[in-house]
Amino acid sequence: MTPVPLPHSSPQSLVTSPRSESLKESRNGSGPGAELSPVTVLKELVAQLDREQDKTQDLLSSLGFALRSFTNLNQFLELIPLMASRVTQADGGALILVRPNGQMRLERFYCSDEQYSQTTRQVLERAIQQVSGNLTSNPSPHLVNTDGSLAVLDDRIGHLLGMSNIQIFGVAILSKNQERGRLYIFSYDPGYTLTETRQKLVRLVADQTAVAIENDALTVELRQKERLDRELEIGAEIQRQLLPRTCPPVMGVELAARCLTASRVGGDYYDFIPIRHGQSAPRSRGGNPSDCWGIAVGDVMGKGVPAGLIMTMLRGMLRAEVLNGHSPARILQHLNHIMYTDLENSNRFVTLFYSEYDPHTRLLSYSNAAHNPPLLWQCSTGGIHRLDAMGMLIGLDADSQYEDAKVQLYPGDVVIYYTDGFTDAPGAGGDRYDEEKLIQAFRRACEQYPTPWEILDFLFETIQQFMGSDRANEDDMTLVVLKVTE
């Protein structure tokens, strides 16, 4: 920016620069009329330049130390106008920053001469007010330079100063290629020159300011991330506590279950619910092995905290519905009707397979709300059957109807409940681990391994090999294995 003079100054009232005063003393010697040789004057000038260079280096070193040491951005910004004016031998400096809403403010101001301090501050604040008002009311391209900078503020300041005797120079404060403000130095000395060195020094101080602003933004972002991480960890711990910690003892059945979430909070759900139909007496928390048991597997569309919250709500409502003693289809119908409004507002849906196993008859009754049908391996024939029933997603239609179905199980039969994290898992070649691959792996597992936990481990190992040993699951994966014993 072209240096601009200040209107209220006169040549007689200008502040004499330290350098001109020093040279005057050098010429005059130690007393009136004393004259020094040109060599002496030159030596004194060189020595003075060396002292100024050392002083500049010390100031910049102090600024670097402040940048490393200060944890408070406001304390660091307090130094910027002072440092900028000191390293350039100017009379003052000003730091103008842009707020996130686009408004500018005079963040810090320094002037060594009180005579001109108030007037200069008023000029800067008036220019800021005018430019901020224009950018807010009429954000047209001509208000900002073609490079997107706020150099338009320089033009406004120059216009307000008119033909005054101030020399002012401004540079941009850039952070991530975005201008965050302007740093100015100014002088009332008509003999003051904005040399290339001084301009470089101002830019150096501006760069340090940009680093401080960016560091502060990163610190705030890090704190927010740490707080979010703590909240997510709490949510994940609550969810882990809601899922069954162990498989319950069920008469004539062995169970195994595992849930791997893609993130810390997942949308998959499984549960074992003890049932005593026709009895109103309260049961123990773990249920009795001879009770009928509800076995549920569900999946909330999506991942993360929203899915986890819906999963928690689903768990509580399902357990409440089971207490009413209705059939699986009626339970899903009531659950859908209750949850429809909340799920509609969240634009999310739930798939759920709910079944009830009677250990006395080995009869598995079930109903399905568009979930992946469990697979039944029959020990006597080695055949695999899908346990499916008609039903819509929970939350899709308030009046959805669901179908009841039953299957007779025999000793040695194995049933696996799973979520689509298995059948949608991506392989290294880009294909998916579809239901057919799961059926083949399930058949091998049932033929080779006698216990549910061995079957479960084999299926998880098989899918991990398919995805690649170094790849994590992209979706939540849940697997429940039920094997009928003698």
Side-chain angles (χ1 to χ4, degrees):
M1 176 179 175
T2 305
V4 181
L6 187 70
H8 51 273
S9 301
S10 63
Q12 291 79 13
S13 64
L14 291 173
V15 178
T16 305
S17 67
R19 179 177 296 179
S20 60
E21 189 68 30
S22 177
L23 290 176
K24 185 187 297 183
E25 292 176 359
S26 299
R27 295 191 196 98
N28 295 337
S30 58
E35 294 291 340
L36 297 178
S37 67
V39 174
T40 304
V41 173
L42 182 59
K43 288 182 177 180
E44 176 59 27
L45 180 60
V46 172
Q48 180 181 337
L49 291 174
D50 289 339
R51 288 194 297 271
E52 291 180 355
Q53 185 177 12
D54 292 341
K55 179 181 178 182
T56 300
Q57 291 177 348
D58 290 342
L59 288 170
L60 293 177
S61 177
S62 299
L63 185 63
F65 176 78
L67 179 62
R68 296 190 303 271
S69 304
F70 282 178
T71 56
N72 188 315
L73 179 64
N74 291 327
Q75 292 178 348
F76 181 82
L77 297 182
E78 193 76 41
L79 300 173
I80 298 304
L82 174 63
M83 285 290 186
S85 61
R86 289 285 177 86
V87 298
T88 58
Q89 292 84 45
D91 292 312
L95 175 63
I96 297 174
L97 295 181
V98 181
R99 295 177 178 178
N101 61 3
Q103 292 291 321
M104 290 178 287
R105 63 173 291 179
L106 181 60
E107 192 73 27
R108 296 290 186 271
F109 177 82
Y110 167 75
C111 183
S112 61
D113 195 324
E114 296 182 0
Q115 181 180 355
Y116 306 114
S117 176
Q118 187 63 26
T119 303
T120 307
R121 176 187 283 270
Q122 290 175 353
V123 168
L124 293 172
E125 290 180 340
R126 184 180 176 189
I128 292 171
Q129 184 179 9
Q130 292 180 0
V131 173
S132 294
N134 289 336
L135 289 175
T136 303
S137 61
N138 183 26
S140 56
H142 72 273
L143 292 174
V144 181
N145 283 12
T146 55
D147 61 355
S149 71
L150 293 172
V152 62
L153 183 62
D154 299 358
D155 299 334
R156 181 62 60 181
I157 293 173
H159 174 75
L160 293 177
L161 290 174
M163 298 301 294
S164 55
N165 293 325
I166 186 174
Q167 301 200 64
I168 189 167
F169 175 70
V171 297
I173 297 173
L174 298 175
S175 175
K176 293 182 177 179
N177 295 324
Q178 180 181 1
E179 189 162 351
R180 303 293 298 272
R182 307 283 290 179
L183 176 62
Y184 293 94
I185 59 168
F186 50 85
S187 175
Y188 310 117
D189 183 359
Y192 182 85
T193 56
L194 288 166
T195 64
E196 183 178 352
T197 300
R198 285 172 174 169
Q199 294 180 28
K200 288 181 178 179
L201 289 172
V202 177
R203 292 190 179 95
L204 177 60
V205 177
D207 290 342
Q208 297 277 53
T209 306
V211 172
I213 294 173
E214 181 63 23
N215 287 346
D216 183 71
L218 290 175
T219 300
V220 172
E221 183 180 348
L222 179 61
R223 289 173 181 169
Q224 292 175 344
K225 184 178 182 300
E226 290 175 346
R227 184 172 63 252
L228 179 60
D229 286 344
R230 288 195 297 269
E231 293 174 354
L232 285 175
E233 190 58 41
I234 293 173
E237 179 60 29
I238 292 174
Q239 189 177 49
R240 285 193 293 268
Q241 292 177 358
L242 291 178
L243 292 176
R245 297 184 181 181
T246 59
C247 296
V250 180
M251 186 175 68
V253 163
E254 292 181 355
L255 292 168
R258 182 179 300 162
C259 178
L260 294 181
T261 57
S263 57
R264 275 177 288 185
V265 180
D268 276 11
Y269 162 69
Y270 75 93
D271 204 357
F272 304 109
I273 307 171
I275 305 168
R276 286 185 180 178
H277 292 309
Q279 297 187 31
S280 58
R283 56 177 174 264
S284 64
R285 180 178 180 182
N288 190 291
S290 62
D291 289 342
C292 291
W293 284 83
I295 303 173
V297 173
D299 185 6
V300 179
M301 289 188 176
K303 299 186 290 291
V305 174
L309 291 174
I310 294 175
M311 185 277 282
T312 303
M313 179 176 65
L314 171 69
R315 176 187 182 273
M317 291 185 176
L318 176 60
R319 283 182 164 248
E321 282 297 321
V322 169
L323 293 177
N324 294 326
H326 296 300
S327 68
R330 184 62 64 88
I331 289 173
L332 293 187
Q333 184 178 349
H334 290 174
L335 189 65
N336 174 69
H337 187 75
I338 295 170
M339 296 187 66
Y340 174 76
T341 302
D342 293 330
L343 293 176
E344 182 186 35
N345 294 334
S346 67
N347 294 319
R348 292 177 182 271
F349 306 102
V350 175
T351 67
L352 179 65
F353 185 94
Y354 176 71
S355 63
E356 293 183 352
Y357 178 74
D358 187 340
H360 302 284
T361 63
R362 296 196 181 106
L363 197 64
L364 185 69
S365 306
Y366 59 89
S367 186
N368 194 4
H371 191 76
N372 300 81
L375 301 176
L376 165 63
W377 180 77
Q378 292 181 321
C379 179
S380 59
T381 64
I384 293 180
H385 305 278
R386 300 167 78 247
L387 304 183
D388 203 1
M390 297 297 295
M392 299 292 290
L393 294 162
I394 291 178
L396 185 63
D397 183 0
D399 299 322
S400 292
Q401 299 295 316
Y402 298 91
E403 179 186 11
D404 272 317
K406 297 180 180 180
V407 63
Q408 181 67 54
L409 301 182
Y410 299 93
D413 289 352
V414 180
V415 179
I416 59 168
Y417 304 72
Y418 64 96
T419 58
D420 60 5
F422 270 87
T423 52
D424 290 342
D431 53 337
R432 296 283 174 176
Y433 193 83
D434 53 23
E435 186 181 55
E436 185 59 35
K437 292 184 177 66
L438 178 60
I439 290 175
Q440 294 174 6
F442 179 42
R443 178 178 285 109
R444 292 198 306 271
C446 292
E447 292 172 350
Q448 296 177 20
Y449 300 103
T451 68
W453 281 108
E454 290 175 310
I455 295 173
L456 182 141
D457 289 338
F458 176 82
L459 293 177
F460 269 104
E461 290 171 2
T462 301
I463 197 169
Q464 188 64 61
Q465 293 173 1
F466 176 81
M467 293 190 300
S469 58
D470 57 340
R471 293 185 62 179
N473 50 310
E474 297 180 358
D475 195 4
D476 304 330
M477 293 182 180
T478 298
L479 183 64
V480 177
V481 182
L482 177 152
K483 183 171 184 178
V484 182
T485 63
E486 292 293 343

